[in-house]
Amino acid sequence: MMTRTMKVLLMIFSASSKGGRGVCPGFFPLILTALLFPVTGLTASLGPDISVPSRDTLILKLSDDAIAASPSPATTEGLSAQALAQQVRVHIERSRATGSPRPLGLAQGLLDQVPEQRWTPEVYLMRATLRQRLHRFDEAEADLSRVLQAEPNNAQAWLTRYSIALVRGDIATASRACNELAEVMASLLAESCTQEVASLGEQPEAAFRRLRQAVDKAPSASAVEHDYALVTLADMASRLNLPSAGDYWQQSLLSDPGDLYRRARYADWLLSNNQPDKALQITQGYEEIDTLAVLRAIALKRLDDPKQQALSEILDERFAEARWRGEFLHEWEYARYLLDVQNDSEGALEMARANWETQRAYPDRELLIRAAQAAGDQQVLQDLGIDNREAQPL
Amino acid sequence: MTRIFFALLLTMLAAGAHAHKASDSFLYWDAANPDAPGRLDIALVDLARVMPLDSNGDGELSWGELDSQQSDVTAYLASQVKLMANEAACPVRWRLAGLTQHSDGNYLAMEFRPSCPGSVTLPAQIQYDLFFDEDPLHRALVMTRVDGNERLTVLSPDQRSLNFADTPSAWETAREFVWEGMVHLWIGYDHMLFLLALVLPAALRRQDGRWVVEDKISVAVKDVALIVTAFTVAHSITLVIATLGVVNLPIAWVETFIALSIVAAAINIVWPFLGQRRYLIGFGFGLIHGFGFASVLSGFMANASSRLVALASFNIGVELAQLAIVVVVVPLIFLLRRQWLYQRVVLPAGVAAIVLTGMFWVWERAPLASI
């Protein structure tokens, strides 16, 4: 109502002062100019600048993975459950490889087009993985329960349940899932998860040693299992602050350079071990991946590199758009950015706590501790069972 | 950070690093500025997935290729994005405005201009279905400007429409515009002074070089009623034709002429150079005052759900305000008309004040600054 009255008054003042001369414009026009000054800004158009490129300007490479090979809706007619699961898997794999969440949406779109009556446990398993990627852990769990009810020996489902439980900090569930996995297939894979769970208990060093020995004793295990064990060892070594952690990360990155997770973890390890120049090297060309871009921005800042400004601007825009969208999958990244690039410990703590609501793995815990220390929040540290003096900076 | 595994696949999948955002479009709409087009930015990646844009099949999309398919693109968008007014879709003109960038790359910027049918001025709602079938994680990030404030909202498969503003009901519009009509007459002193200058002689007029007192109140009331009616009829006519856009006069000259009409009407009290039939003066100048009302009304129209309700209500508001003035002023001047103080001081001073104010406004408003 107040605004309305103000508008009425403004209208009337403006009506009674139109054409006022410059020499002595009168009182109302002066007030009016002052009042209208912010209003004139309103005529500015919304949104970023628009340009019209020349006709031969290349504006998109259609060979990009994001567009190529996406199944058209027409092909879902009469799609078998097996083919559906396969296509969803292709999308999830593409998302993992490119770090882009776009294919996850396409996977969801495919699933929506095939009625659930036709789904097999395999399709539910794919949806569980999709939901895991979207941090919808409860929904993913529901799908896994369904799969495991139908196929109690589905090792992939047990492993997925294990991963989710571990990320959520639910050690009991992780341990049960790992035991089930070992029942289904006694292997290096089962040994990896067994020792990983053990490393979260009383004797982490012993667990690390046991897994290392298991790797040495299983030369015939598949490459996949070896790789899994290697990443698990790298994770464990990081948690134990072993100097060999760097070697494990480097080795695991070499064995799969396209994997963004290990690249990010290695870059993070390099940063926390005072090697920002190396972190810069392995994040080069990965600015599109938020996790790697944030770690790169931290490295640039540590090196006082002038390029940090431009990268920070890009990240600011990305996070602003992510906040606008609302479904925030980047809490860890954003918290890290606020803490280590923007020096905003309060904002970082808020984000790290939001991240902690859904994700409770080692990097999530480390970040929360560091943000709480920077913000001087003793309560958070107490809740985590941390004595401020003994906490280790990442 | 999370990692996931397909341990039993041939390749192990360990993921957890997040890239940029998922698929988003950006929609901008300035509800308060009916002249500004709306804008929709869509990721080229998303558009390329639903339309075969690469006409020469070289795996690369150039601006020229996209531009030559403008009609296909606009037809597709028109089928997916609708602007609604009163539950009917408004015809929309889409235009390829150019290229823009958001945090994850190149976007096509499209402009849209809805022209809603009937008496409605602006669309009240947007219905958005773009990309949702292929990608349920797609979102439209909407920025609307309402009352000068930017409002951010998100459209999703579960929430596909957005009301730009809470469209007021006809009754709310009527109430609001009656009030605005009244306020405008009372605070926009020029119309009030003009009316006063016409009404004052109803009790005491100048005739043949001397003051003549009106004896009968019935005559005075009839006189005033005639003047007010004539003024009302005249300014209603021009208010309607100006609001409907039939005639448009330069507002600076209208304002100047309104100020002149005040001076003329006031001088006419002591020197009846326009004659004693003041209802004719009221009618003649009333035509010009109508254009003045129209310029004020147009400022509020953007928020009105219906032009006709707004127009009629605004006019009724003006009339009610006039009546209120008459009810207060006529008994007062009728009671005072024989008083020496009124005849010799109050009336002449009042007339002088009105003339001076009117002249000051003429000087202030005349669009002659450059001369």
Side-chain angles (χ1 to χ4, degrees):
Chain A
M1 196 61 218
M2 205 45 218
T3 337
R4 169 63 59 212
T5 315
M6 276 297 291
K7 262 169 78 178
V8 171
L9 289 172
L10 278 175
M11 281 297 165
I12 288 154
F13 287 160
S14 72
S16 65
S17 63
K18 283 210 170 80
R21 293 185 181 192
V23 189
C24 177
F27 189 52
F28 281 156
L30 270 180
I31 298 178
L32 199 68
T33 314
L35 286 173
L36 284 182
F37 183 70
V39 179
T40 52
L42 294 186
T43 51
S45 61
L46 295 162
D49 291 344
I50 300 174
S51 65
V52 179
S54 63
R55 291 188 67 82
D56 54 358
T57 307
L58 170 67
I59 54 173
L60 184 70
K61 277 195 175 149
L62 293 149
S63 53
D64 283 355
D65 268 2
I67 310 164
S70 59
S72 70
T75 61
T76 60
E77 292 270 339
L79 194 69
S80 73
Q82 200 187 353
L84 173 66
Q86 178 55 32
Q87 290 199 9
V88 170
R89 174 176 291 158
V90 167
H91 282 305
I92 295 174
E93 162 58 16
R94 182 167 295 124
S95 167
R96 187 200 66 83
T98 59
S100 167
R102 264 196 170 83
L104 300 179
L106 300 179
Q108 182 66 56
L110 271 177
L111 289 170
D112 288 352
Q113 285 168 32
V114 179
E116 268 195 55
Q117 299 94 287
R118 282 169 46 198
W119 288 20
T120 56
E122 179 70 356
V123 178
Y124 281 104
L125 181 57
M126 284 303 114
R127 188 168 74 176
T129 314
L130 174 65
R131 288 172 160 179
Q132 179 193 11
R133 291 286 279 136
L134 296 169
H135 298 184
R136 296 176 186 164
F137 297 132
D138 285 330
E139 293 174 20
E141 266 300 322
D143 281 342
L144 287 177
S145 297
R146 209 171 179 136
V147 175
L148 290 167
Q149 206 169 11
E151 299 177 352
N153 292 336
N154 191 319
Q156 176 76 63
W158 286 118
L159 189 61
T160 308
R161 171 166 287 179
Y162 169 76
S163 306
I164 292 175
L166 210 60
V167 161
R168 298 174 104 180
D170 181 358
I171 308 302
T173 303
S175 179
R176 272 199 305 276
C178 181
N179 290 340
E180 294 286 348
L181 186 68
E183 292 276 315
V184 177
M185 51 182 291
S187 62
L188 183 56
L189 192 67
E191 188 63 21
S192 295
C193 78
T194 306
Q195 298 312 331
E196 189 165 34
V197 169
S199 77
L200 299 167
E202 298 282 303
Q203 295 174 309
E205 290 89 353
F208 178 76
R209 261 196 321 273
R210 282 195 298 271
L211 180 56
R212 213 179 48 192
Q213 286 159 6
V215 171
D216 293 341
K217 278 188 227 157
S220 58
S222 70
V224 171
E225 287 186 88
H226 265 290
D227 199 47
Y228 185 98
L230 190 59
V231 174
T232 309
L233 280 172
D235 256 330
M236 287 160 81
S238 288
R239 269 207 307 277
L240 289 166
N241 277 316
L242 300 180
S244 61
D247 293 337
Y248 279 110
W249 282 123
Q250 189 176 28
Q251 219 181 318
S252 58
L253 182 59
L254 281 173
S255 80
D256 186 358
D259 184 81
L260 300 170
Y261 174 77
R262 51 189 91 184
R263 187 174 289 275
R265 289 299 305 276
Y266 185 31
D268 204 359
W269 185 87
L270 289 169
L271 284 175
S272 50
N273 285 273
N274 230 355
Q275 301 178 49
D277 44 344
K278 273 194 181 169
L280 209 57
Q281 271 172 26
I282 67 161
T283 53
Q284 176 146 22
Y286 288 88
E287 289 86 349
E288 287 206 346
I289 315 297
D290 287 348
T291 317
L292 290 162
V294 166
L295 296 172
R296 184 172 177 78
I298 298 169
L300 288 170
K301 185 174 168 157
R302 297 247 181 101
L303 295 167
D304 208 12
D305 191 306
K307 287 198 287 288
Q308 61 174 309
Q309 178 69 20
L311 186 55
S312 289
E313 279 170 18
I314 292 171
L315 283 168
D316 278 335
E317 192 191 356
R318 271 189 218 171
F319 288 126
E321 286 177 359
R323 283 200 305 274
W324 184 356
R325 186 180 159 105
E327 297 156 356
F328 214 51
L329 295 176
H330 305 59
E331 282 147 343
W332 188 90
E333 286 79 359
Y334 191 37
R336 199 64 203 275
Y337 176 68
L338 291 175
L339 184 64
D340 291 330
V341 180
Q342 300 292 355
N343 297 327
D344 174 6
S345 55
E346 296 288 336
L349 179 59
E350 193 184 324
M351 270 297 131
R353 289 177 76 159
N355 180 57
W356 187 246
E357 291 294 311
T358 53
Q359 304 204 72
R360 302 192 163 193
Y362 169 70
D364 306 303
R365 182 183 158 87
E366 286 301 299
L367 179 57
L368 183 58
I369 293 169
R370 286 187 51 229
Q373 283 170 338
D377 193 324
Q378 298 301 325
Q379 188 59 48
V380 171
L381 294 171
Q382 271 175 30
D383 292 348
L384 289 169
I386 298 284
D387 182 340
N388 199 9
R389 283 161 304 178
E390 51 178 74
Q392 303 275 344
L394 187 69
Chain B
M1 283 214 287
T2 57
R3 54 181 168 145
I4 63 165
F5 303 99
F6 284 122
L8 303 182
L9 303 179
L10 280 177
T11 54
M12 187 189 83
L13 315 178
H18 292 297
H20 37 269
K21 60 201 180 49
S23 161
D24 292 322
S25 293
F26 295 82
L27 200 144
Y28 303 94
W29 178 255
D30 190 348
N33 188 357
D35 296 328
R39 175 173 157 188
L40 176 65
D41 293 356
I42 40 183
L44 287 173
V45 180
D46 290 331
L47 190 64
R49 204 164 35 229
V50 294
M51 295 185 73
L53 294 175
D54 183 19
S55 50
N56 61 10
D58 64 352
E60 294 187 338
L61 182 64
S62 68
W63 176 253
E65 262 176 292
L66 184 64
D67 190 42
S68 59
Q69 296 177 76
Q70 172 152 196
S71 59
D72 290 345
V73 174
T74 55
Y76 181 71
L77 290 178
S79 70
Q80 302 291 308
V81 181
K82 295 193 173 77
L83 288 129
M84 313 292 288
N86 290 343
E87 289 167 16
C90 306
V92 180
R93 264 191 303 135
W94 289 89
R95 190 178 75 85
L96 207 137
L99 199 66
T100 190
Q101 275 79 35
H102 289 274
S103 72
D104 60 340
N106 281 345
Y107 280 66
L108 174 65
M110 299 291 300
E111 267 182 16
F112 57 91
R113 284 181 189 275
S115 47
C116 298
S119 60
V120 177
T121 53
L122 284 174
Q125 193 193 54
I126 188 156
Q127 281 181 10
Y128 182 98
D129 295 308
L130 198 61
F131 304 136
F132 285 150
D133 287 345
E134 298 84 18
D135 180 359
L137 297 183
H138 173 76
R139 299 287 179 268
L141 309 187
V142 187
M143 182 185 281
T144 42
R145 192 142 53 189
V146 179
D147 291 334
N149 298 313
E150 277 153 20
R151 201 173 65 181
L152 302 181
T153 20
V154 179
L155 296 180
S156 64
D158 298 329
Q159 176 62 56
R160 293 174 183 233
S161 65
L162 171 73
N163 292 329
F164 290 133
D166 297 328
T167 316
S169 67
W171 168 240
E172 283 166 340
T173 306
R175 214 172 40 186
E176 183 188 335
F177 278 80
V178 164
W179 170 248
E180 270 165 14
M182 291 171 74
V183 167
H184 179 61
L185 193 94
W186 286 329
I187 309 183
Y189 316 100
D190 41 6
H191 309 293
M192 200 161 65
L193 283 185
F194 176 71
L195 195 65
L196 213 55
L198 287 184
V199 167
L200 283 178
L204 180 69
R205 66 178 181 276
R206 195 82 175 161
Q207 208 171 344
D208 306 326
R210 58 192 182 85
W211 291 104
V212 177
V213 174
E214 180 56 57
D215 281 330
K216 290 183 182 161
I217 189 149
S218 61
V219 176
V221 167
K222 218 169 109 185
D223 187 32
V224 169
L226 200 61
I227 291 165
V228 171
T229 307
F231 180 60
T232 301
V233 169
H235 73 64
S236 299
I237 293 170
T238 44
L239 173 61
V240 170
I241 64 169
T243 305
L244 298 183
V246 180
V247 177
N248 250 322
L249 296 185
I251 185 61
W253 284 108
V254 168
E255 296 285 345
T256 310
F257 207 81
I258 288 175
L260 269 174
S261 75
I262 296 165
V263 177
I267 291 174
N268 197 55
I269 297 174
V270 284
W271 179 39
F273 72 108
L274 293 169
Q276 286 297 353
R277 284 188 288 187
R278 283 167 290 121
Y279 61 91
L280 286 181
I281 306 171
F283 187 87
F285 286 121
L287 291 172
I288 289 295
H289 282 250
F291 285 107
F293 288 130
S295 81
V296 173
L297 182 58
S298 68
F300 302 126
M301 270 300 202
N303 298 328
S305 55
S306 161
R307 271 176 187 272
L308 289 180
V309 173
L311 181 59
S313 313
F314 185 81
N315 214 7
I316 290 169
V318 171
E319 313 323 340
L320 286 175
Q322 283 179 182
L323 265 180
I325 291 168
V326 168
V327 166
V328 172
V329 170
V330 172
L332 198 66
I333 57 172
F334 204 76
L335 284 173
L336 294 173
R337 69 196 191 284
R338 293 182 201 280
Q339 302 288 327
W340 179 86
L341 192 70
Y342 176 72
Q343 290 187 355
R344 297 298 151 103
V345 182
V346 177
L347 187 65
V351 169
I354 296 174
V355 170
L356 285 173
T357 309
M359 285 172 68
F360 173 72
W361 280 340
V362 172
W363 175 78
E364 196 186 44
R365 295 174 183 185
L368 302 171
S370 57
I371 297 175

